[in-house]
């Protein structure tokens, strides 16, 4: 024999309040709307943060190698070491490099940069910077040419174009009979690249032979840049590969060389998510308010149900079902709307830009000139689960208060 679950049946009936309970109906609808908006906002915002994280990783790691292997004192036979590394699992290519930090100046402008000495031919196997050249060519980096390739923002800050000269000043001094002077070298700008990321502002490229002379490492490479078949395959492997080359070798992957930037993005996503979760919490408090009013309005109904044989636990179940139904309906509706927006957000923003005839993200100011969005099922499941749990917890206290109502006391004044 089929037994109807009474708390579930009555709780769902209470969700749709009758006409004489318009105020309670309004509170229920407001709670549902607040829950839907909170869940929708969380899913959309987390998708946008995922999109920015993806864009930064894709753009930066298309130029910055996935890993670095260095040797103390420099590497003379870099080709032999490169052949050994390419034999390792997931490693596709290796390229020699020499790098250092300096002050790059032109006229009255000076900026700190990381300059890298590279082999332009081998570099193409580990970096796509050659495909992002907007002026000049990477092939202009020839031995003893003392040419330099700059990022777009750095070139704009220095107000230089190909053919102009810049002064590279190292954090060292030379002692001469005339006094103490910083080590400087004049380079000619031969190219400008634009990746659309932070490296456009902080990186400069020169030929490895020129950099070696400048850093007093002639004929040697500081180490090797590595490219993996997938950037995630570099995580945790580079150090082990470096140890296999012998004593004095060390390695780091992109999570360490660029980790601070991606950690900042991850932290920002976490903080924004927690802040927006307050919207869901407010919606949950609205459920508490709605249930408290419902319990006060249904005192006589509760008394009748108790006299008909319902236990305190069943009465509590009625209002848990009612509050949870409001939260679940709102959360599911918000999740569906949030997923729909997240999947089409980039196209929606582009349409708005076309209608307004203006760019929301000015490419002259922002590295990413559009609003990226990447929906991840795990994020949506986490948000939806948190919203449903908060809705469930919000029902417990009003439901417990309803279960404490005594039939005789409730019916005394009816």
């Amino acid at each position: 024999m089929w037994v109807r679950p009474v708390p579930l049946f009555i709780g769902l009936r209470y969700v749709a309040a009758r006409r004489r309970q318009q105020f309670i109906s309004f509170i229920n609808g407001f709670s549902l709307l607040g829950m839907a908006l909170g869940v929708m906002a969380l899913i959309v915002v987390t998708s946008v943060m995922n999109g920015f994280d993806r864009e930064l990783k894709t753009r930066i790691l298309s130029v910055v190698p996935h890993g670095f292997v260095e040797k103390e004192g420099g590497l003379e036979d870099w080709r032999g070491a490169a052949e050994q590394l390419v034999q390792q699992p997931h490693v596709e290519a290796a390229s020699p490099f020499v790098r250092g930090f300096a002050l790059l100046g032109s006229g009255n402008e000076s900026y700190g940069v990381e300059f890298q000495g590279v082999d332009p031919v081998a570099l193409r196997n580990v970096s796509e910077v050659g495909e992002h050249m907007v002026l000049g060519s990477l092939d202009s980096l020839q031995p003893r040419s003392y040419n330099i390739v700059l990022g777009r923002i750095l070139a704009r800050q220095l107000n230089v174009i190909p053919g102009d000269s810049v002064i590279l000043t190292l954090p060292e001094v030379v002692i001469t009979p005339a006094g103490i002077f910083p080590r400087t070298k004049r380079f000619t700008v031969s190219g400008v690249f634009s990746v659309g990321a932070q490296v456009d502002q902080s990186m400069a490229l020169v030929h490895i032979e020129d950099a070696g002379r400048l850093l007093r490492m002639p004929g040697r490479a500081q180490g090797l840049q590595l490219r993996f078949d997938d950037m995630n395959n570099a995580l945790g492997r580079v150090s082990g590969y470096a140890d296999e080359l012998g004593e004095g070798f060390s390695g780091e992957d992109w999570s360490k060389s660029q980790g601070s930037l991606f950690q900042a993005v991850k932290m920002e996503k976490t903080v924004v998510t927690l802040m927006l979760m307050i919207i869901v919490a407010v919606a949950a408090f609205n459920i508490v308010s709605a249930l408290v009013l419902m319990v006060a309005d249904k005192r006589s109904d509760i008394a009748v149900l108790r006299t008909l044989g319902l236990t305190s636990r069943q009465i509590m179940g009625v209002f848990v079902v009612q509050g949870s139904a409001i939260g679940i309906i709102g959360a599911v509706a918000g999740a569906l709307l949030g997923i729909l927006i997240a999947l089409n957000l980039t196209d929606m923003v582009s349409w708005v830009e076309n209608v307004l005839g203006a760019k929301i993200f000015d490419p002259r100011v922002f590295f990413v000139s559009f609003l990226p969005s990447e929906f991840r099922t795990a994020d949506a499941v986490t948000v939806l689960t948190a919203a449903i749990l908060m809705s469930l917890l919000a029902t417990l206290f009003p439901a417990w208060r309803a279960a404490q109502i005594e039939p005789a006391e409730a019916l005394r004044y009816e």
Side-chain angles (χ1 to χ4, degrees), residues 120-121 124 130 133 136-143 145 147 149 190 207:
V121 176
R124 294 183 185 276
M133 299 295 296
S137 170
L138 198 63
D139 294 330
S140 62
L141 300 180
Q142 296 296 324
S145 64
N147 287 334
V149 172
S190 62
H207 194 275

Side-chain angles (χ1 to χ4, degrees), residues 65-345:
H66 298 160
F68 296 90
V69 171
E70 299 184 29
K71 183 180 181 182
E72 185 178 356
L75 185 62
E76 294 183 0
D77 182 21
W78 65 265
R79 289 180 176 81
E83 290 177 0
Q84 293 183 48
L85 288 170
V86 172
Q87 299 302 318
Q88 299 287 358
H90 305 292
V91 179
E92 290 187 335
S95 172
F97 75 93
V98 173
R99 61 181 173 182
F101 295 91
L103 196 65
L104 195 63
S106 175
N108 296 324
E109 301 292 337
S110 296
Y111 294 92
V113 298
E114 176 188 355
F115 70 95
Q116 293 188 8
V118 297
D119 182 333
V121 176
L123 182 65
R124 294 183 185 276
N125 297 322
V126 300
S127 173
E128 297 177 5
V129 65
E131 301 175 10
H132 295 274
M133 299 295 296
V134 293
L135 293 173
S137 170
L138 198 63
D139 294 330
S140 62
L141 300 180
Q142 296 296 324
R144 301 190 180 186
S145 64
Y146 290 101
N147 287 334
I148 188 169
V149 172
L150 306 178
R152 176 179 58 86
I153 296 178
L154 181 58
R156 188 176 66 208
Q157 290 173 334
L158 293 172
N159 194 28
V160 295
I161 61 174
D164 293 341
S165 296
V166 292
I167 301 298
L168 192 73
T169 304
L170 295 175
E172 300 179 18
V173 295
V174 292
I175 302 176
T176 68
I180 299 176
F181 298 95
R183 289 191 63 206
T184 62
K185 181 63 181 178
R186 183 180 298 273
F187 281 80
T188 301
V189 178
S190 62
V192 176
F193 64 85
S194 178
V195 180
Q198 191 178 11
V199 291
D200 289 349
Q201 189 176 5
S202 59
M203 193 169 75
L205 302 176
V206 301
H207 194 275
I208 187 171
E209 187 174 320
D210 297 343
R213 286 197 180 91
L214 199 61
L215 295 174
R216 297 174 179 171
M217 297 180 61
R220 289 176 293 168
Q222 186 175 343
L224 293 168
Q225 301 173 334
L226 305 181
R227 184 173 186 85
F228 284 69
D229 53 6
D230 187 288
M231 62 182 181
N232 293 319
N233 288 331
L235 302 177
R237 286 190 167 95
V238 180
S239 295
Y241 293 167
D243 292 339
E244 293 182 18
L245 291 176
E247 187 177 354
F249 284 90
S250 62
E252 65 176 22
D253 54 55
W254 62 266
S255 66
K256 295 181 180 178
S257 60
Q258 303 292 327
S260 58
L261 175 60
F262 298 126
Q263 286 296 328
V265 174
K266 183 178 180 181
M267 179 62 69
E268 184 177 1
K269 177 185 175 182
T270 302
V271 172
V272 170
T273 300
L274 291 176
M275 292 178 65
L276 289 177
M277 192 65 75
I278 295 175
I279 299 177
V280 180
V282 170
F285 278 114
N286 287 335
I287 294 175
V288 175
S289 302
L291 286 183
V292 168
L293 291 174
M294 180 64 79
V295 169
D297 184 72
K298 298 294 185 181
R299 287 177 63 87
S300 58
D301 290 10
I302 294 171
V304 171
L305 291 173
R306 289 295 302 274
T307 57
L308 291 175
L310 265 70
T311 64
S312 298
R313 180 172 296 180
Q314 288 176 311
I315 295 295
M316 186 174 178
V318 169
F319 292 96
V320 167
V321 168
Q322 180 190 356
S324 299
I326 295 172
I328 291 173
I329 293 172
V332 171
L336 293 176
L337 185 58
I339 292 171
L340 182 63
I341 294 175
L343 292 175
N344 298 280
L345 185 61

Side-chain angles (χ1 to χ4, degrees), residues 390-412:
M390 292 173 69
S391 302
L392 179 62
L393 292 175
T395 66
L396 296 181
F397 177 72
W400 177 80
R401 290 292 300 272
Q404 303 307 307
I405 294 176
E406 295 294 336
E409 186 69 23
L411 293 174
R412 175 177 297 179

